[in-house]
Amino acid sequence: MAPDPLSGEDPRTIAELTELAGGLAHELRNPLSTLMINLKLLAEDLQDPAAAPQDVRRRALLRVGVLTQEAQRLQTLFDEFLQVSTPCQPQRQEVDVRAVLRRLALFVEPLARRDGIELRLDDDATPVRCLADENLLSRTLLNIALNGLQAMPEGGTLHLRARAEGDDVTIEFADTGVGILPEHRDRIFRPFFSTKPGGTGLGLSICNRIVRAHGGTLTFASTPGEGTTFTITLPS
């Protein structure tokens, strides 16, 4: 596809930025509306001369709680939007992927146990190495692991494994959760698409972007009602 003759930009880039901007505007509408309504109600409560001071204080605290929650939601949205809209430039160094998975397992195991989920880690002393930005890789693996836990509200099993395959390193997260509906599969990595209440829909989009910046691929296979396996393939 040829560059735009006026701007010099690749039309695919323009289309992606337009989609991101439209998605951000859509996602901002609800929290901003909630903020404005609660600020208006808070002002009315504080100006009501007939209201008892204790009632005013109680209602004010409730309003402030809602305002704080929505402000945090906006902060999260903006932080994730910046991650998905700015250039991703990994600082590569040799990383033992199995060591990263061990640390990840230690971190998420209490969350898994709380929700009745068994965490399984295929591990041995043999390192599985690749050139990667360890911080970005760790963030990506954590996001996918948390998605797996959230996909199992009734409990289940999350299986983590990494292996070397020729010139590639493969990392897999297999859950026994609700699975992904066929009609959602084409949009699963699209910005602002989410099936989780309150989700920004940017997590998997960011993960996919980070993996692609490493020259790798992020794919999945899913059966509704049986579970999903996310697979990251990176050049070793």
Side-chain angles (χ1 to χ4, degrees), residues 19-20 22-24 26-28 73 76-85 143 147 150 184 186-209 218:
E19 181 182 12
L20 278 173
L24 179 63
H26 176 77
E27 291 297 321
L28 287 175
R73 182 179 170 190
T76 300
L77 179 62
F78 275 115
D79 289 345
E80 293 189 353
F81 177 78
L82 288 176
Q83 290 180 47
V84 80
S85 62
N143 198 313
N147 274 359
Q150 293 166 0
H184 293 162
D186 289 343
R187 297 190 289 165
I188 203 70
F189 296 128
R190 295 280 293 275
F192 300 108
F193 174 75
S194 177
T195 59
K196 296 181 293 186
T200 63
L202 288 173
L204 284 176
S205 178
I206 293 171
C207 290
N208 189 41
R209 192 163 177 267
L218 174 58

Side-chain angles (χ1 to χ4, degrees), residues 34-152:
T34 303
L35 286 170
M36 293 301 294
I37 290 171
N38 277 275
L39 283 170
K40 181 175 182 294
L41 292 173
L42 179 60
E44 291 175 355
D45 288 341
L46 294 175
Q47 294 170 0
D48 184 0
Q54 289 184 341
D55 290 339
V56 171
R57 183 175 183 276
R58 177 180 56 81
R59 290 198 298 269
L61 289 174
L62 290 174
R63 305 287 183 212
V64 169
V66 173
L67 292 169
T68 301
Q69 181 178 353
E70 292 302 311
Q72 182 58 57
R73 182 179 170 190
L74 286 172
Q75 182 66 60
T76 300
L77 179 62
F78 275 115
D79 289 345
E80 293 189 353
F81 177 78
L82 288 176
Q83 290 180 47
V84 80
S85 62
T86 55
C88 182
Q89 299 176 328
Q91 304 300 308
R92 292 179 175 86
Q93 60 183 0
E94 189 173 89
V95 175
D96 180 359
V97 176
R98 281 186 172 154
V100 175
L101 284 179
R102 286 187 207 108
R103 293 194 294 271
L104 173 65
L106 284 174
F107 180 75
V108 302
E109 197 277 333
L111 300 176
R113 186 171 63 248
R114 179 198 65 188
D115 295 336
I117 296 169
E118 179 186 359
L119 189 66
R120 295 181 184 174
L121 173 64
D122 285 358
D123 193 17
D124 60 38
T126 306
V128 174
R129 303 186 188 278
C130 69
L131 290 177
D133 186 313
E134 187 167 348
N135 288 331
L136 291 177
L137 180 61
S138 296
R139 184 192 307 170
T140 299
L141 300 186
L142 175 60
N143 198 313
I144 296 175
L146 293 178
N147 274 359
L149 297 182
Q150 293 166 0
M152 296 181 283

Side-chain angles (χ1 to χ4, degrees), residues 177-181 185 221-229:
V178 296
I180 300 170
L181 295 175
R185 293 178 186 177
S222 184
T223 301
E226 295 184 14
T228 302
T229 298

